[in-house]
Amino acid sequence: MDRWTPSLVEARLSEAAFVLKRLPEPRLRGYFSTWPEIIHSFADKVGQEPKRMRVLPSPQAISRMEETLSWTVGLDPVDGKIVWLRAYGYRWREVCRAVGLQRASAHHHWVYAMCLIAHRLNNRRLNPRLSMQQVIDLARADDPAL
């Protein structure tokens, strides 16, 4: 990646959340069933919901997901929670309820977190005294879509 922008960061976080959803559930070792596998006839299957087909993610997608998981480590806990809730596709109403902020404030925190992650990925040092709005304005110069 040549230059990271907040929109690219958002896309990568969404992909990581999608990969996390598709990973198989962890299983406890040592527990198994001695019962034989039940083979259902056609009459048994009529009216049943079909099983959801689970497509496992590719190794490259898992590697990108593992890289992405460390991006929110240095963020404020509220900002990190907002970022991951939005990456998982939660609506703003649910995000606001989870973090206890109004919608405009939660959106401002989310944009700030995206900009901060983009600056870190671009190896740009930011003055810690900059306000949230100043960090967002710096990122807007790089990404006009923001």
Side-chain angles (χ1 to χ4, degrees):
M1 185 68 30
D2 195 24
R3 298 259 327 142
W4 285 96
T5 61
S7 56
L8 291 173
V9 170
E10 178 187 3
R12 180 66 80 85
L13 285 166
S14 296
E15 179 196 15
F18 183 66
V19 168
L20 279 171
K21 287 179 189 176
R22 289 181 9 204
L23 288 176
E25 295 292 324
R27 295 183 183 180
L28 295 175
R29 293 179 184 232
Y31 293 98
F32 60 92
S33 175
T34 57
W35 285 85
E37 188 69 29
I38 298 173
I39 300 174
H40 296 284
S41 68
F42 179 75
D44 294 334
K45 293 182 180 182
V46 172
Q48 289 184 357
E49 291 290 323
K51 277 189 171 180
R52 288 187 60 209
M53 209 166 114
R54 190 169 200 117
V55 179
L56 296 177
S58 68
Q60 294 84 10
I62 293 174
S63 297
R64 287 191 303 271
M65 181 262 314
E66 288 173 343
E67 175 190 348
T68 307
L69 289 176
S70 65
W71 290 357
T72 58
V73 169
L75 295 178
D76 187 55
V78 171
D79 294 345
K81 189 170 187 176
I82 292 170
V83 165
W84 281 112
L85 287 172
R86 286 300 296 165
Y88 273 101
Y90 283 86
R91 294 179 165 266
W92 278 111
R93 175 176 292 203
E94 297 161 346
V95 172
C96 294
R97 192 174 291 136
V99 296
L101 294 173
Q102 294 291 324
R103 195 229 182 266
S105 180
H107 183 264
H108 194 69
H109 280 266
W110 177 73
V111 171
Y112 168 71
M114 292 292 125
C115 295
L116 198 58
I117 292 170
H119 283 303
R120 286 182 188 162
L121 292 174
N122 290 329
N123 292 325
R124 291 177 67 183
R125 291 191 155 262
L126 290 175
N127 187 349
R129 295 182 184 183
L130 290 177
S131 68
M132 290 173 75
Q133 189 60 46
Q134 289 172 327
V135 171
I136 292 169
D137 291 340
L138 284 173
R140 279 200 176 120
D142 295 338
D143 187 14
L146 184 62

